[in-house]
Amino acid sequence: MERFTVASPLGSLTVTLDGNNVTRLEFPHSLRNGKITQSAGTPASPAGVRVATTLETYFACGDLGVLKLSPDGTAFQQRVWEVLRAVPVGETATYGELAARAGAPRASRAVGQACARNPIPVLIPCHRAVGASGPGGWSGLPGAKEWLLEHEASRAEE
């Protein structure tokens, strides 16, 4: 396992790799794992450098590129996270639309729960999931969902 920190406009992001696969991405002062995430140094492997470069590019120009992700979750959560990755940069999808794309059209609340449990936010873009009548929730850093959506919308217009 490799852990390192990447600077971003939202603060230092802590990335965890297992070999070439990203398994976690945490915002600064995240309590998602039950404790506050601390800085973890710089990437030490070629895979770590590739992830750091991809994140830096995303924050500069909105392009996420393709990385190997290995989030831990249920089969349903995996399906939801896969359909989230198919939502284009600068666009959003409602929880209901994502539920239908994941093969469970009546499971919009479960989609919201899968988003809340997403261990790799930004790279699995749960910020692109919105409610039918508004932006919906966000379990990450306060204000980050709005910032990410605005960032992507401005980059999609270029």
Side-chain angles (χ1 to χ4, degrees):
M1 290 285 204
E2 178 181 1
R3 286 175 49 89
F4 56 89
T5 303
V6 176
S8 85
L10 299 170
S12 295
L13 305 176
T14 301
V15 178
T16 304
L17 289 181
D18 185 359
N20 291 325
N21 300 320
V22 179
T23 59
R24 292 191 72 76
L25 186 147
E26 298 170 76
F27 287 100
H29 309 295
S30 172
L31 288 171
R32 294 183 85 179
N33 61 358
K35 60 184 179 205
I36 294 178
T37 302
Q38 301 295 320
S39 294
T42 58
S45 69
V49 170
R50 188 170 40 258
V51 171
T53 301
T54 298
L55 285 168
E56 290 163 0
T57 301
Y58 169 74
F59 287 113
C61 66
D63 180 21
L64 267 177
V66 178
L67 293 171
K68 294 180 181 180
L69 308 182
S70 185
D72 186 32
T74 67
F76 179 75
Q77 289 169 337
Q78 298 286 342
R79 285 197 317 271
V80 169
W81 298 334
E82 193 60 37
V83 298
L84 274 167
R85 292 184 75 193
V87 176
V89 172
E91 296 184 21
T92 59
T94 67
Y95 297 111
E97 291 168 339
L98 294 166
R101 293 176 194 172
R106 298 172 47 113
S108 58
R109 285 181 187 238
V111 167
Q113 289 300 313
C115 289
R117 291 183 173 92
N118 175 7
I120 314 174
V122 180
L123 298 177
I124 298 175
C126 55
H127 57 277
R128 296 182 194 153
V130 297
S133 60
W138 174 260
S139 64
L141 185 68
K145 180 173 186 164
E146 293 80 6
W147 188 93
L148 291 164
L149 289 173
E150 288 173 20
H151 170 68
E152 290 183 356
S154 69
R155 299 302 181 203
E157 294 170 1
E158 293 179 355

